[in-house]
Amino acid sequence: MDKTSFLTILGMGIATYITRVLGFYIAGKVKLTPRFRYALQSIPIAILVSIVAPTIIKGSIPEILSAMVVIGTAITGRGLLFCLAVGIMAINFFRYIF
C-alpha cells in the first residue's frame, strides 16, 4: 500500500470517528422529546425498506416469492436474525428453481 492510500484511509477513519463522537456528545446535551426519540428509533426500519423495496418492486418471481416468505416469517415474530436466514435460504432456493 502506498503512502497516499494509507493517509487517505487513515483520514477517513479519523473523520468517521470524530463525527460519531461529536454526535454522541451533542445528543447528550439535547433534550429529546418522546416524538423525536420515536422518529430516531424508526430510522433503521426506514433505511431497510428503502433498500429492499426497489428490489421487490423491480424484481422477478424469485425476489417476490422470497419477500413473501420473509414477510410471513416476520409475522410469526421469530426475530430479525431468523428472518434474515430464512430470506437468504428462500432467495437462493427460488433462484435455483426459476
Side-chain angles (χ1 to χ4, degrees):
M1 178 181 304
D2 63 341
K3 184 179 178 182
T4 305
S5 298
F6 177 75
L7 290 175
T8 302
I9 293 170
L10 182 66
M12 289 187 308
I14 291 170
T16 302
Y17 180 76
I18 289 172
T19 56
R20 287 179 183 233
V21 168
L22 285 176
F24 283 121
Y25 177 75
I26 293 169
K29 301 286 183 185
V30 176
K31 175 92 168 128
L32 299 178
T33 63
R35 185 175 181 179
F36 188 66
R37 188 180 306 267
Y38 179 75
L40 288 177
Q41 291 173 345
S42 300
I43 288 174
I45 296 169
I47 292 171
L48 184 63
V49 169
S50 69
I51 292 170
V52 173
T55 304
I56 295 171
I57 291 169
K58 292 174 26 178
S60 58
I61 292 173
E63 285 82 11
I64 294 169
L65 291 174
S66 298
M68 291 169 56
V69 169
V70 171
I71 290 169
T73 305
I75 290 172
T76 64
R78 299 259 182 154
L80 184 60
L81 189 58
F82 185 76
C83 291
L84 179 66
V86 168
I88 291 170
M89 288 187 291
I91 191 66
N92 286 315
F93 174 75
F94 289 125
R95 284 181 179 166
Y96 178 76
I97 297 295
F98 295 104

